[in-house]
Amino acid sequence: MALVTTAEVCDANPQLIVSGELRALQPIFQIYGRRQVFCGPVVTLKVFEDNVLVREFLEEKGNGRVLVVDGGASQRCAILGGNPVVQAQNNGWAGIIVNGCVRDVDEINGCDIGVRALASHPMKASKKGIGEKHVPVMVGGTRIFDGEWIYADTDGILVSKMELSV
């Protein structure tokens, strides 16, 4: 997204906002990781207090994608920790957005990747492998579909039905 901010994207695309093709997530996310600005095509995952599928996704090549995880907004445990984030960084993921909690914050903050989550929590998730891949998820008050685009910076997070030429 180079030097164009999410605010500038919104200002330049009022018609996309009115049509619902460009949406802003509610401002509920904390910023983690060294990459404060990131964008990429979305891969969706729905889990609840279980991180097996999160880890499986991040073991794949990211190719600049953004993993959007609907963790049910649980604040009872972390579904993303330092080791998977290091792996995501090394595998070329642009970012991870978690509707839930993270842990190992110091380790995550040392990684060159963008991470957004509701909060941090010291307890780890269960390991049952239960969840749904590539399904519509509800995150930050917005329904997000596999293949849409995320644009994130320190002002917020935008979701677009298509890649924007910014």
Side-chain angles (χ1 to χ4, degrees):
M1 207 164 55
L3 301 171
V4 179
T5 67
T6 55
E8 291 169 324
V9 169
C10 289
D11 293 349
N13 294 286
Q15 73 287 359
L16 295 180
I17 294 169
V18 170
S19 71
E21 293 177 57
L22 180 64
R23 294 134 14 238
L25 272 60
Q26 294 169 342
I28 57 176
F29 295 93
Q30 303 298 311
I31 297 174
Y32 303 98
R34 287 197 337 245
R35 193 179 299 177
Q36 294 192 333
V37 177
F38 62 93
C39 66
V42 169
V43 178
T44 60
L45 177 60
K46 187 172 188 170
V47 298
F48 188 72
E49 297 180 359
D50 187 318
N51 72 348
V52 171
L53 297 179
V54 175
R55 293 179 77 100
E56 284 179 8
F57 261 120
L58 299 176
E59 288 169 359
E60 299 174 8
K61 291 294 179 198
N63 300 314
R65 295 178 294 171
V66 176
L67 180 62
V68 178
V69 182
D70 181 358
S74 172
Q75 295 191 18
R76 299 190 310 188
C77 66
I79 57 173
L80 181 68
N83 290 338
V85 173
V86 168
Q87 195 154 35
Q89 167 197 260
N90 295 340
N91 285 336
W93 288 85
I96 308 163
I97 298 173
V98 179
N99 186 26
C101 294
V102 298
R103 70 183 203 162
D104 308 320
V105 170
D106 291 340
E107 187 174 5
I108 291 171
N109 285 341
C111 292
D112 183 24
I113 189 170
V115 177
R116 301 291 190 273
L118 299 179
S120 60
H121 197 294
M123 294 178 69
K124 67 181 178 179
S126 67
K127 307 239 183 282
K128 296 176 185 165
I130 298 170
E132 299 174 90
K133 300 178 181 182
H134 308 289
V135 295
V137 294
M138 187 63 110
V139 174
T142 302
R143 184 162 299 289
I144 303 173
F145 297 88
D146 216 62
E148 291 190 308
W149 279 73
I150 289 283
Y151 297 87
D153 65 12
T154 53
D155 281 338
I157 304 168
L158 298 176
V159 183
S160 174
K161 288 194 179 294
M162 68 209 92
E163 182 177 7
L164 300 173
S165 54
V166 291

